[in-house]
């Protein structure tokens, strides 16, 4: 399936739309090389980016997500090559890496649903390599799926998550039916009380039960068109979505104590608590001196959350996102993208402009800036505008109070704390779980 008219898909079916003549998108440039006319594709990317880019809104920095995978016999169908199960497992590996890259202090877990039961494949953790390893070890499933059993298993774990974390469930469905032991609508009511958002990605078709599940819990429901669309739907759940300020179950803000471990190498091997292996070097908890190998993690001895400064920096990108770039007209004499220097022509390209630095970019760079870089190259190269982008949190009267900004700006621990006089590399800090909510 080639490029599909999205406006038509919202009101009708894909096979009822106009025929896509892909050969008309090919032209020969001045050097005799064949290239594609990507104007329509660029407009499609721009429309999708417009829906995802948001201003300064409240989002959950620490996410706890369970991915429920349909492992019933319906996943053995071969409408996706080689079959649905293999395609989903391959795309989930890319999803895991991208999820932890964009949410470094969040946690992820997997639940398999087959034979009318639910099995927890992995616990909630922040180790992508361990998640992928266990996911590759299971490639077979039989029987029917029970959505209720899978949701109950996820609810029993997520209901004990601290209130500062966002609780999410992503259901990947390949079946058109479910075999449940009780009333699944009672389970939906329990999910609403536990403030758990459920989203569904279906490879088969729409089900009324899944539609009601997403509507009641505030999630999204996506029906897969093809394999690229499946990847797009999965990656749409990588970025944290804004928290609804009107939600009745909105969690209160709460300060979180975190520690920044220091790295040290000994001349002799010592035991790490995460792998139970002897190693020379490692990362040591600033509170109890417990040795770990990877970050982020929770200290198994004192319970403090251990992170690094780069993890917090990548998490804050979602809270203060790059403003939306407005589309501008490409002049007749062509224009070069400020970032990649690609020459844009009015008949082939769509150009966008940053409202802060007035630099012009192509659509590909626009998508890369808002989804991966999280910084405008034009603003960073301009000294005057880069100073405006850096928040100034002074001391005394210049520092905004937690009450004025919803208690969401980072502050160090009080001086009365016994850990406040420790070195910076090993001192715990008080970090907020979500962004400020501006009027």
């Amino acid at each position: 399936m080639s490029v599909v008219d999205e406006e038509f898909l919202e009101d009708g079916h894909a096979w009822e739309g106009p025929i896509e003549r892909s050969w008309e998108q090919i032209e020969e440039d001045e050097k005799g090389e064949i290239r594609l006319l990507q104007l329509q594709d660029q407009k499609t990317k721009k429309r999708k980016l417009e829906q995802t880019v948001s201003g300064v809104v409240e989002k959950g920095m620490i996410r706890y997500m369970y991915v429920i995978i349909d492992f019933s016999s319906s996943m053995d169908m071969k409408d996706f090559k080689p079959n649905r199960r293999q395609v989903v497992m391959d795309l989930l590996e890319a999803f895991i890496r991208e999820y932890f890259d964009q949410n470094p202090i969040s946690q992820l877990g997997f639940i398999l649903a087959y034979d009318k039961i639910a099995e927890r494949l992995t616990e909630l953790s922040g180790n992508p390599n361990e998640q992928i390893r266990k996911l590759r070890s299971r490639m077979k499933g039989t029987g029917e799926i029970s959505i209720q059993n899978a949701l109950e298993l996820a609810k029993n774990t997520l209901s004990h998550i601290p209130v500062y974390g966002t609780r999410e469930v992503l259901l990947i469905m390949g079946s058109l039916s479910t075999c449940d032991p009780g009333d699944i609508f009672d389970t939906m009511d329990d999910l609403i009380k536990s403030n758990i958002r459920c989203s569904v990605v279906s490879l088969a078709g729409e089900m009324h039960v899944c539609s009601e599940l997403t509507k009641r819990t505030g999630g999204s429901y996506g029906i897969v068109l093809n394999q690229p669309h499946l990847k797009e739907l999965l990656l749409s759940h990588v970025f944290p979505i804004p928290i609804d300020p009107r939600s009745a179950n909105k969690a209160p803000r709460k300060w979180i104590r975190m520690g920044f471990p220091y790295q040290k190498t000994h001349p002799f091997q010592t035991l790490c608590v995460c792998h139970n292996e002897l190693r020379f070097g490692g990362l040591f908890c600033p509170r109890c001196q417990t040795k770990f190998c990877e970050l982020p993690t929770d200290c198994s001895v004192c319970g403090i959350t251990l992170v690094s400064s780069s993890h917090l920096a990548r998490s804050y990108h979602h809270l203060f996102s790059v403003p939306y770039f407005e589309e501008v007209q490409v002049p007749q004499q062509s224009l070069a993208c400020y970032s990649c220097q690609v020459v844009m022509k009015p008949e082939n390209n769509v150009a966008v402009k940053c409202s802060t630095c007035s630099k012009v970019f192509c659509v590909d760079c626009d998508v890369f800036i808002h989804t991966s870089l999280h910084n405008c190259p034009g603003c960073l190269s301009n000294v005057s505008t880069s100073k405006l982008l850096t928040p100034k949190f002074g001391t005394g009267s210049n520092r905004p109070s937690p009450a004025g900004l919803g208690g969401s700006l980072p502050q160090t621990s009080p001086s009365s704390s016994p850990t406040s006089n420790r070195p910076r590399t090993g001192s715990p800090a008080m970090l907020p779980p979500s962004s400020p909510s501006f009027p």
Side-chain angles (χ1 to χ4, degrees), residues 313 317 320-323 325 339 361 365-366 368-380 389:
H317 285 154
F320 306 98
S321 58
V322 181
F325 291 171
S339 181
F361 302 91
C365 290
D366 183 21
F368 177 74
I369 289 171
H370 284 90
T371 58
S372 299
L373 191 60
H374 301 292
N375 289 285
C376 175
C379 295
L380 293 180
L389 295 176

Side-chain angles (χ1 to χ4, degrees), residues 242-286:
I243 298 176
D244 188 2
R246 300 167 299 178
S247 176
N249 295 322
K250 181 180 176 182
R253 296 181 178 91
K254 182 180 179 181
W255 292 101
I256 308 169
R257 182 175 293 274
M258 291 185 175
F260 298 93
Y262 60 92
Q263 190 170 8
K264 188 176 181 181
T265 303
H266 293 290
F268 50 87
Q269 291 184 339
T270 55
L271 188 69
C272 72
V273 298
C274 49
H275 299 93
N276 292 327
E277 296 180 358
L278 294 174
R279 303 174 185 265
F280 286 99
L283 300 164
F284 292 84
C285 175

